[in-house]
Amino acid sequence: MIQTRREHAAPDRDRLAVHTMTTKPLSLAEAAEAYSRRGIPGISVWVEALEGMTTASAKQIVDDAGLKVPALVRGGFFCASDSVERQKRVDHNRNLIETAADLDAEMLVLVVGAEPGVALETQRGWVRDGIESILPEAEAANVKLAIEPLHPMYAADKSCINRIAEARVICDQLDHCLVGAAVDVYHVWWDPDLNREIKLLGEAGRLFGFHICDWRVPTRDLLTDRGLMGDGCIDIPGIRREVEAAGFDGWIEVEIFSEEHWAADQGDYLDKIIQRYETHS
């Protein structure tokens, strides 16, 4: 373990949520049962976990386990040079808003996408326009739209929004109460303006989500080697204090992509998640 944390107040267990992708080997039903049995109250559902089932069936699974759904993950991917393709992606997001509403998810998390070789500012315009196009559906369903900045290593092909500031600009441009940002520590911990940007999001009421995991040193894979809280270099308790000082009191969502942890016994893994949530978050 890399970090030695100073003493801090542990977050309340009733704010803990785990993403289904964190326990990727488990089906939605298996994940819901395992989370519920351990007293984890929240499950953020990835669209991949819904494959092969109706939304009504998924909702029944979640309800039977007594869980709440902070978020449906992931919408977005608005960026494409072809206007017809962009429209298809907008329409897909409209469908995802309906799915989120049917699951009683608080928000749809938007990973906005990127297209290599196109100016980032042009792509951010596509993102703004795409989100604006789906606002009527979000309003009708009362589903928040949370833009998630991704680490700059993904700027070429996964996200043209890499700092909170870039997400905040779009939020300011659209100026809508249902448009905000999700702060994932894995993607933004390095940002020299992090504290300022969190504060600005909080002041505007646009801090919608908070995702946690850790950055391993060395990182063996930039996509699937995220660490459990406390196994890396991110000051997760410090960032949590910043988001809470900015007024955030919502779910603390554990989102880990890890070949190592996916290969482990998922029950033991969930027990570790709870322990690290209480000691390193």
Side-chain angles (χ1 to χ4, degrees):
M1 192 178 301
I2 290 176
Q3 298 188 36
T4 300
R5 312 282 190 193
R6 67 182 178 84
E7 291 297 320
H8 72 288
D12 294 336
R13 174 77 74 87
D14 61 9
R15 297 174 63 194
L16 171 60
V18 177
H19 284 227
T20 57
M21 189 59 78
T22 298
T23 54
K24 182 180 177 181
L26 301 182
S27 68
L28 179 62
E30 291 169 336
E33 190 278 331
Y35 297 5
S36 178
R37 180 155 41 88
R38 289 169 172 78
I40 298 170
I43 182 169
S44 283
V45 178
W46 278 59
V47 294
E48 289 84 352
L50 301 176
E51 292 177 1
M53 70 174 64
T54 65
T55 307
S57 296
K59 179 67 163 60
Q60 192 65 55
I61 288 170
V62 171
D63 287 350
D64 287 348
L67 302 176
K68 301 296 184 183
V69 183
L72 177 65
V73 192
R74 304 167 294 177
F77 301 100
F78 297 105
C79 296
S81 294
D82 181 76
S83 61
V84 174
E85 178 60 28
R86 290 203 301 276
Q87 185 59 50
K88 288 180 181 178
R89 297 182 184 193
V90 166
D91 292 340
H92 179 60
N93 277 275
R94 290 187 171 118
N95 293 333
L96 289 176
I97 289 171
E98 181 178 353
T99 300
D102 289 343
L103 290 172
D104 284 338
E106 297 176 14
M107 72 192 78
L108 174 64
V109 173
L110 303 176
V111 172
V112 300
E115 183 161 313
V118 179
L120 291 174
E121 283 303 317
T122 297
Q123 297 187 65
R124 291 168 189 150
W126 294 339
V127 172
R128 180 195 62 238
D129 294 346
I131 296 174
E132 186 173 33
S133 295
I134 63 176
L135 272 173
E137 288 75 19
E139 287 179 341
N142 194 31
V143 171
K144 295 177 181 179
L145 303 173
I147 304 169
E148 182 178 0
L150 297 196
H151 192 280
M153 64 186 171
Y154 297 125
D157 59 353
K158 286 187 174 64
S159 179
C160 62
I161 294 178
N162 311 109
R163 297 177 301 162
I164 296 175
E166 291 146 14
R168 182 174 54 78
V169 166
I170 292 177
C171 292
D172 289 346
Q173 290 170 341
L174 294 175
D175 193 21
H176 194 287
C177 64
L178 291 178
V179 180
V183 172
D184 185 324
V185 299
Y186 190 77
H187 294 299
V188 302
W189 66 272
W190 56 273
D191 189 339
D193 297 323
L194 180 60
N195 293 350
R196 173 180 178 272
E197 290 298 328
I198 287 172
K199 183 174 183 290
L200 290 172
L201 280 179
E203 288 174 350
R206 293 173 178 152
L207 185 48
F208 289 175
F210 182 51
H211 303 175
I212 61 172
C213 65
D214 219 333
W215 186 289
R216 292 174 58 100
V217 182
T219 294
R220 297 166 295 189
D221 185 281
L222 293 175
L223 180 61
T224 59
D225 193 36
R226 297 188 186 191
L228 278 164
M229 295 75 73
D231 281 350
C233 63
I234 302 176
D235 179 12
I236 301 167
I239 298 175
R240 177 170 68 87
R241 286 192 292 271
E242 292 292 335
V243 299
E244 290 174 347
F248 181 79
D249 59 0
W251 296 95
I252 301 174
E253 303 171 55
V254 177
E255 183 183 23
I256 300 174
F257 306 162
S258 169
E259 297 289 349
E260 176 183 327
H261 292 304
W262 289 335
D265 179 279
Q266 295 301 284
D268 292 343
Y269 176 32
L270 280 166
D271 292 339
K272 290 178 182 177
I273 285 173
I274 293 169
Q275 187 268 331
R276 296 299 183 85
Y277 174 83
E278 294 174 341
T279 60
H280 290 80
S281 299

